[in-house]
Amino acid sequence: MAEPEFTATGVRIGKRLRSLTRAGQVRISGGRLELLTSYGSEIDSAPVQAVRASKPWFAADDRALADLNGQRYLLTLGEHDPAPGRPGPPAARRFIEAVRRAAGRGH
């Protein structure tokens, strides 16, 4: 199996006003975006080309929106990238860039 193109752990994943998990995972691998619970169960997944990732204008820097399969998820990632070699969630900006890059829409 190929290395994931993007992985974040300890991510709070919510839908509308409901929190689905406080320590979930976001992974982009093999052209798919997966939202997983802290136990590794799938919350939702979709091909990256069908995913829209954006930054909500009203939220803090550690938040990103992901639209998958007609559902909008609010992701709370780390505010700052972790130090090299240190675990921790990447910033929301890196998540948005990774989705665009994986879908062929980015840099």
Side-chain angles (χ1 to χ4, degrees):
M1 187 167 178
E3 278 291 305
E5 298 153 38
F6 177 89
T7 303
T9 57
V11 179
R12 171 172 270 173
I13 302 172
K15 188 161 65 167
R16 298 197 185 230
L17 297 175
R18 193 171 131 226
S19 177
L20 301 175
T21 182
R22 287 194 272 173
Q25 296 178 47
V26 176
R27 186 169 53 205
I28 298 174
S29 181
R32 288 188 73 76
L33 172 72
E34 299 173 307
L35 303 178
L36 308 168
T37 67
S38 54
Y39 300 108
S41 312
E42 185 176 292
I43 294 170
D44 206 345
S45 73
V48 233
Q49 288 85 0
V51 173
R52 201 177 115 226
S54 59
K55 176 90 183 76
W57 61 271
F58 56 84
D61 284 342
D62 63 346
R63 305 245 167 107
L65 291 173
D67 293 327
L68 286 85
N69 302 319
Q71 300 293 322
R72 176 170 287 176
Y73 297 94
L74 178 63
L75 310 176
T76 305
L77 299 106
E79 191 172 316
H80 303 288
D81 290 337
R86 304 286 304 175
R93 176 183 46 77
R94 278 201 43 227
F95 163 72
I96 295 167
E97 289 169 3
V99 169
R100 291 180 181 153
R101 206 171 28 254
R105 296 187 295 248
H107 317 282

